[in-house]
Amino acid sequence: MRGKMQKTSLIFFGAIIGVMISLNFSAVANKEAVSPLPIDDLRAFTEVFGKIKSDYVEPVEDKKLITEAINGMLTGLDPHSAYLDADAFKDLRVGTQGEFGGLGIEVSMEDGFVKVVSPIEDTPAFLAGIKSGDLIIKLDETPIKGLTLNEAVKRMRGKPGTKITLTVIRKGEAKPIVVTLTRAVIKIQSVKSKLVEPGYGYIRITQFQEHTGENMAQALDTFYKQNKAPLKGLVLDLRNDPGGLLNGAVAVSAAFLPKDALVVYTEGRTEDAKMRLTASKENYLHSAAEEDYLKNLPAGTKTVPMVVLVNGGSASASEIVAGALQDHKRAIIMGTQTFGKGSVQTVLPLGNNTAIKLTTSRYFTPNGRSIQAKGISPDIAVEEATINGVEQQGAFNLREADLERHLSNGNKDEETKKPEAPSIKLPAPSKPAPKGKDDKTDSGKPAPGEIVSKNDYQLNQALNLLKGLNILQNK
C-alpha cells in the first residue's frame, strides 16, 4: 500500500512538473523572464499530497485536495484574490447585473473570520443594522473559523425566504450580537436621485453596475427638466458604496470632467495590467455600437458646483471617482477617509466554468496617488452623525490597511506618508437633530418613500457649503 501511494505521488509530481514547465515556458515566451521552478518546494508539495492520501484519518478526493491547494495559493496573496468555483463564478457574473440572491453584504476575510466591508443599501443585512467593520463569527450553529471566504459566502446565500442567524462581534459591544436575517433576491437600484431643494440635486450611487452611468445620466437630465433652470449645486453620495465595475466609475467621472481628461490609471507587471482610462466613450461604453448616453447631458453638468460625500465604506470604484474629481478640482470631497481598496482584480476563466480572481495591478489617481491601503482623504472632514449614541453610517472605521495580508500602497513616496489632513474639519453633532414631522431620528433612516434622511448631518453640511458657494458666485 505504501509503495502504491509513493508511486501515485510520483505520478502526480510528474504531472505537476509537466504543467509547471509548460506554464513557465509560456510565461518566458510571452512576458518577462521568471525564476526557475522551485523543484524542492514542488517535491515537498507532492510529499504532503501523498501523506494526506495515505495517512489522513479519512479518505480525501484528489479534486478536493487540489481545489484547496489552489484556494490556499490565492488567499495567501491578499484579501481579494480568490478561486471561484462554478457557483461563485456564476454569482459574480449575475451580481454585476444588479440582481442576485443573498443577504446583501460586501465581505472580506480577516483572521479566519468574515469582516463586513459594507452592507448594500436596501438589503436584508442593511435593514437589520449590519455595519461596516462587523466581524461575523458564526453562521447559524457553524463557526466561521475553518471556512474559506467562498464557503462562508455560499452559506450566507440561499433560497429567498429562508432564514439564517448571524453571530456578530462589534466594537463597543460587550457581547456578541445575534441577528436572524431572511434571505432575499437582492435587486440593487444602483442610482437614486431627487431634487432635495429647488436648484440642488442629490444623487446616491449604491454600487457601480453595468447601467450605472446610463442611469445617472437620466437622473441628471431629469433634474434639469424638473428644476426648469440650471442647477445651483449637486451632491454625489458615494458613502458605503463598495465599488463594482470599473467602466461605471469612468462613466460617472466622465459626466463631470472635460472630454479625454484622465480618470484613473493602473500599474501592474504585465502590459495588459497597464491602463490609462480617460473621459472618453471608448472607456465606458460596452461596445462601439452603443449610443453615448453622456453625449446629450445638459451643458451645466460640467460646471455645476459639486460636493462628493464619502466615508470608510466607500471603496474601489467609489474611490476612483472621488480621486478623479478631487485631482481635477472638479468637486469638493466631504466626509471621512475612504476604505483604501485600490487594487485591480482580473477574473481569469478556467475550465469547467471556474475562474480565479487575481490581483493584477493598482489604481492611481490622475495626479499619481495610489489609492491602495491609503484611500482618499476628504477636503473637508465631517464626522458621521450619532443618534442616541449610535453612529449612523459605519461602525469602527475598518480600512483596507487593517486587513491581514493587504497589498502595500505601491507608491514609495506615498508609502510612508500619513493620509493628508483635510483643510477643514467639522465635528459631528453630539445630540440628535430635532425630530421632523416625517422623519425618525431614533433610527436615522429615511422616512418612508424618501431616499435620504432629512436629518443627515453630512448631507446638510454639503448643502450648506453649496449654498455658500452660490452666494459667493453671485457676488
Side-chain angles (χ1 to χ4, degrees):
M1 181 69 179
R2 196 66 77 165
K4 185 178 179 181
M5 290 311 305
Q6 288 177 348
K7 184 177 179 181
T8 301
S9 180
L10 287 173
I11 292 172
F12 180 75
F13 177 66
I16 288 289
I17 292 293
V19 172
M20 293 295 289
I21 289 173
S22 174
L23 293 174
N24 190 58
F25 179 79
S26 175
V28 171
N30 295 299
K31 300 174 184 176
E32 62 185 66
V34 296
S35 57
L37 287 170
I39 300 299
D40 290 341
D41 292 331
L42 287 173
R43 184 178 291 114
F45 175 82
T46 57
E47 287 177 0
V48 172
F49 182 91
K51 285 292 183 184
I52 294 172
K53 291 293 293 181
S54 63
D55 296 357
Y56 187 64
V57 63
E58 294 177 348
V60 186
E61 293 182 356
D62 290 350
K63 182 179 179 180
K64 175 176 172 58
L65 288 176
I66 294 170
T67 298
E68 293 300 332
I70 295 171
N71 267 324
M73 276 194 291
L74 290 162
T75 57
L77 297 174
D78 63 74
H80 308 294
S81 293
Y83 174 67
L84 305 175
D85 61 18
D87 290 337
F89 190 25
K90 179 182 177 182
D91 288 340
L92 178 68
R93 286 178 290 184
V94 171
T96 59
Q97 296 169 358
E99 183 175 322
F100 56 95
L103 303 177
I105 45 178
E106 183 84 6
V107 295
S108 64
M109 208 72 177
E110 175 75 3
D111 293 330
F113 297 113
V114 171
K115 262 191 175 177
V116 177
V117 172
S118 181
I120 300 171
E121 199 165 301
D122 296 332
T123 63
F126 179 86
L127 297 174
I130 298 296
K131 297 180 181 296
S132 173
D134 281 353
L135 190 67
I136 302 173
I137 62 171
K138 188 185 288 186
L139 300 172
D140 288 328
E141 297 302 317
T142 304
I144 290 288
K145 203 77 170 178
L147 299 179
T148 66
L149 183 59
N150 283 340
E151 288 171 339
V153 169
K154 273 185 182 179
R155 287 176 180 268
M156 286 188 281
R157 287 181 174 164
K159 187 177 180 180
T162 59
K163 296 182 182 295
I164 184 171
T165 300
L166 308 186
T167 303
V168 172
I169 293 176
R170 180 176 298 163
K171 187 175 181 181
E173 298 288 342
K175 296 181 179 179
I177 300 168
V178 179
V179 57
T180 299
L181 305 179
T182 301
R183 297 181 180 93
V185 175
I186 309 300
K187 295 183 179 180
I188 302 173
Q189 184 181 345
S190 175
V191 177
K192 301 179 179 182
S193 62
K194 72 172 293 185
L195 280 174
V196 288
E197 293 183 20
Y200 293 92
Y202 171 83
I203 293 179
R204 166 100 175 97
I205 298 180
T206 59
Q207 191 178 39
F208 289 85
Q209 300 170 357
E210 286 184 6
H211 301 292
T212 296
E214 186 177 359
N215 293 340
M216 190 195 68
Q218 292 170 354
L220 289 167
D221 189 55
T222 301
F223 282 162
Y224 280 85
K225 289 177 179 177
Q226 288 179 344
N227 199 54
K228 299 179 181 178
L231 291 179
K232 298 175 183 178
L234 178 68
V235 177
L236 178 62
D237 190 352
L238 301 179
R239 291 174 297 177
N240 290 331
D241 182 334
L245 297 181
L246 178 57
N247 64 337
V250 175
V252 170
S253 302
F256 306 108
L257 294 175
K259 188 177 184 303
D260 297 329
L262 181 62
V263 174
V264 66
Y265 69 92
T266 62
E267 291 287 347
R269 294 176 62 196
T270 68
E271 287 304 313
D272 291 343
K274 298 173 183 177
M275 298 185 294
R276 291 180 66 85
L277 300 179
T278 60
S280 56
K281 62 181 181 180
E282 294 80 12
N283 293 321
Y284 57 81
L285 296 182
H286 301 294
S287 68
E290 186 180 356
E291 185 178 356
D292 184 4
Y293 46 77
L294 299 183
K295 181 175 64 175
N296 296 319
L297 281 177
T301 302
K302 300 290 185 182
T303 57
V304 60
M306 283 184 67
V307 171
V308 178
L309 292 177
V310 297
N311 67 359
S314 306
S316 192
S318 301
E319 296 174 289
I320 289 172
V321 174
L325 297 180
Q326 186 179 54
D327 279 6
H328 287 290
K329 301 188 185 304
R330 178 61 189 88
I332 295 171
I333 311 302
M334 179 182 284
T336 58
Q337 188 80 13
T338 63
F339 184 77
K341 200 274 184 180
S343 59
V344 184
Q345 281 69 50
T346 302
V347 177
L348 305 171
L350 304 174
N352 300 323
N353 296 317
T354 63
I356 62 172
K357 185 171 66 170
L358 187 67
T359 301
T360 54
S361 55
R362 294 179 178 88
Y363 289 123
F364 292 84
T365 70
N367 287 349
R369 295 180 294 156
S370 173
I371 296 171
Q372 176 59 23
K374 188 176 179 68
I376 300 296
S377 299
D379 300 308
I380 301 177
V382 181
E383 295 296 327
E384 295 162 355
T386 57
I387 296 175
N388 293 337
V390 179
E391 194 171 299
Q392 294 306 301
Q393 290 290 342
F396 59 95
N397 300 326
L398 173 73
R399 299 287 188 270
E400 172 82 6
D402 299 323
L403 300 181
E404 188 179 0
R405 297 185 302 276
H406 70 270
L407 195 66
S408 65
N409 181 265
N411 189 331
K412 292 182 179 180
D413 294 332
E414 296 284 329
E415 199 79 51
T416 57
K417 284 185 182 179
K418 293 182 179 179
E420 296 177 6
S423 55
I424 301 174
K425 185 173 183 179
L426 302 178
S430 57
K431 295 181 180 180
K435 188 172 181 179
K437 185 173 73 171
D438 298 321
D439 237 352
K440 296 182 179 181
T441 59
D442 58 342
S443 68
K445 295 178 182 178
E450 296 294 330
I451 64 171
V452 65
S453 170
K454 295 177 183 177
N455 295 321
D456 187 321
Y457 179 66
Q458 290 175 318
L459 173 59
N460 288 329
Q461 291 300 323
L463 291 172
N464 289 338
L465 176 61
L466 289 171
K467 290 173 185 177
L469 292 174
N470 187 54
I471 292 172
L472 289 176
Q473 282 184 343
N474 291 335
K475 286 185 176 180

